[in-house]
Amino acid sequence: MNLSFSFLSKLALVNFPANELKQKYKVHDYSQLVSGSDYVFERLNEGTIGYMTGSGTRIKPCDRIILQEGCESYQYQVEEVDYYSDPSDMWIALLKQVPID
């Protein structure tokens, strides 16, 4: 009886839609904001990673942030984020560049 329960459990995972298994994330578009006044982005490793300080309360790990430099847009994934205690909506995050969806 355990064998059939185990088989049915695995079968349920196989039939589960693939898009439901993917981790969901939000995209935060900062491309229209002004670097240096609305947010600060410090590029490291030729821009493939960086630290960003900004404001807002919904930034979470795995979220994506779109930034613009000149005419080029770049998308970054939030690797880590820490919120300041004062003001409570200010945060600093470690970002990793990813391809634009």
Side-chain angles (χ1 to χ4, degrees):
M1 191 171 242
N2 286 345
L3 181 61
S4 56
F5 177 73
S6 176
F7 174 74
L8 291 175
S9 297
K10 290 179 182 174
L11 184 61
L13 285 176
V14 171
N15 289 329
F16 201 78
N19 61 350
E20 295 289 329
L21 293 174
K22 290 182 183 177
Q23 184 167 359
K24 295 185 178 162
Y25 59 85
K26 287 189 169 191
V27 177
H28 306 274
D29 189 351
Y30 280 69
S31 63
Q32 300 302 313
L33 300 178
V34 178
S35 178
S37 63
D38 295 321
Y39 68 89
V40 175
F41 181 69
E42 181 182 349
R43 294 170 46 124
L44 302 171
N45 199 27
E46 298 179 8
T48 60
I49 60 173
Y51 286 100
M52 182 175 171
T53 302
S55 60
T57 57
R58 294 190 172 98
I59 305 294
K60 296 179 182 153
C62 297
D63 281 358
R64 305 289 174 94
I65 295 178
I66 298 174
L67 300 176
Q68 187 161 344
E69 186 176 317
C71 295
E72 294 292 320
S73 291
Y74 300 94
Q75 183 168 266
Y76 291 87
Q77 179 173 301
V78 177
E79 298 293 305
E80 299 175 21
V81 62
D82 287 316
Y83 282 88
Y84 289 82
S85 58
D86 187 29
S88 61
D89 69 338
M90 185 172 270
W91 49 266
I92 184 166
L94 173 63
L95 306 180
K96 179 179 79 172
Q97 189 174 6
V98 294
I100 294 178
D101 292 338

